[in-house]
């Protein structure tokens, strides 16, 4: 259960953040770039995809919002206690992956509600998705940095003990 010295954990971390920054609100970011370059049908396709995914996210929020929030908080609290009170390394690794992803999830719900409420279309939609992606990438970079620093600290401190 030595998560931070396992290559698969670091590959999974990279894949999770790469995928998260590529799929903005469930829409591949290359659709945003194509809509920006070509306009017309590409822009209409982007708006349709965003409408479908925002409606889906808002439906999930409407139907299961409080339950989803409670479950997420419970899981994060349980992982946090196991990770930093009982020092379970796999819980530490999962917490350092799940906590920032929950922030991105909340940001996605917020962005979806903003797009739906303000009926954002056209170039404003492209800019909103681009800014959402930049914030997601910032969260990802900070998360990877913190995880790498903590993982190196764990590997050096536990490696010195011979465990």
């Amino acid at each position: 259960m030595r998560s931070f010295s396992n290559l698969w954990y670091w590959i999974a971390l990279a894949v999770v953040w790469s995928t998260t920054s590529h799929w903005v609100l469930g829409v591949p970011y290359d659709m945003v770039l194509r809509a920006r370059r070509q306009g017309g049908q590409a822009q209409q396709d982007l708006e349709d995809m965003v409408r479908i995914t925002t409606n889906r996210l808002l439906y999930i929020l409407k139907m299961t919002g409080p339950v989803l929030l409670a479950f997420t908080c419970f899981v994060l609290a349980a992982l946090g206690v196991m990770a930093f009170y009982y020092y379970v390394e796999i819980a530490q690794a999962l917490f350092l992956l799940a906590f920032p992803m929950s922030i991105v999830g909340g940001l996605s719900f917020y962005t979806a509600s903003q797009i739906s409420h303000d009926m954002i279309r056209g170039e404003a939609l492209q800019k909103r998705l681009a800014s959402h992606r930049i914030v997601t990438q910032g969260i990802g970079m900070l998360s990877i940095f913190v995880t790498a620093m903590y993982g190196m600290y764990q590997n050096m401190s536990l490696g010195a003990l011979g465990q």
Side-chain angles (χ1 to χ4, degrees), residues 67-146:
V67 174
L68 183 63
L69 179 64
F71 180 74
T72 302
C73 290
F74 172 76
V75 169
L76 288 174
L79 278 174
V81 168
M82 286 189 297
F84 302 110
Y85 185 75
Y86 292 111
Y87 301 107
V88 177
E89 188 171 335
I90 187 131
Q92 293 169 353
L94 291 174
F95 182 84
L96 290 172
L97 188 60
F99 180 71
M101 287 302 294
S102 68
I103 295 172
V104 171
L107 179 67
S108 295
F109 282 123
Y110 175 74
T111 303
S113 67
Q114 230 181 11
I115 288 171
S116 179
H117 181 265
D118 297 341
M119 292 186 232
I120 300 174
R121 303 282 181 260
E123 189 175 325
L125 178 64
Q126 296 169 10
K127 287 181 181 179
R128 186 68 188 116
L129 292 174
S131 67
H132 178 84
R133 182 176 192 233
I134 288 171
V135 172
T136 300
Q137 287 176 329
I139 293 169
M141 287 189 308
L142 182 63
S143 171
I144 290 170
F145 178 76
V146 168

